[in-house]
Amino acid sequence: MDGNYGGTLDVRLSVAETVFFLDFPRLLCLSRVIKRRFIYAGQSRPDMASDCLERLNWEFLKYIWSYPIIRRPGILEKLSQVTPNQQVIILRKPIEVRDFLQNISHNSDLIN
């Protein structure tokens, strides 16, 4: 599942087999948002629809800054309540994401 859309989180969680929660530090998130803003100013990013221009405003910056305090606890609570047949993987640093992806790649090579 992708995104931080709280209004649909319960629906998406109910059908997800695996949830990856990228629980990165807020300073990293802020720096990446600001970097994207300068790289794609007035353009659409390659991973976005062509009519979604890169924007940055104080409301979004406040959202990122307050996320660990306001939104994160509720998400972690919901993730703690998934069913036994669902898997939750929490990755807290970019190196953990790289290691996880390398491990999957290595293991899939062994299977094939």
Side-chain angles (χ1 to χ4, degrees):
M1 57 188 250
D2 180 31
N4 241 348
Y5 309 102
T8 62
L9 182 58
D10 291 331
V11 172
R12 291 179 293 134
L13 275 177
S14 72
V15 296
E17 294 177 9
T18 304
V19 177
F20 293 90
F21 181 41
L22 302 182
D23 193 14
F24 290 171
R26 71 173 112 187
L27 287 177
L28 175 63
C29 295
L30 278 172
S31 69
R32 287 181 170 186
V33 165
I34 292 167
K35 180 180 176 181
R36 280 197 317 257
R37 168 61 172 93
F38 285 105
I39 292 172
Y40 298 105
Q43 304 175 46
S44 295
R45 295 192 326 251
D47 60 322
M48 305 268 299
S50 62
D51 59 344
C52 290
L53 301 181
E54 187 65 31
R55 296 187 308 242
L56 185 61
N57 58 37
W58 285 112
E59 183 179 334
F60 188 47
L61 292 174
K62 287 190 309 188
Y63 174 85
I64 294 167
W65 190 255
S66 65
Y67 181 88
I69 298 162
I70 294 174
R71 303 218 186 254
R72 182 180 175 270
I75 290 173
L76 291 173
E77 176 64 26
K78 289 178 186 280
L79 294 179
S80 73
Q81 298 172 4
V82 299
T83 64
N85 64 333
Q86 293 175 294
Q87 182 178 18
V88 174
I89 299 168
I90 299 175
L91 302 168
R92 292 183 172 84
K93 300 176 186 175
I95 189 76
E96 291 178 3
V97 174
R98 283 190 294 271
D99 291 347
F100 181 84
L101 293 173
Q102 285 177 346
N103 188 32
I104 286 177
S105 177
H106 176 71
N107 287 337
S108 68
D109 290 343
L110 295 175
I111 294 169
N112 293 329

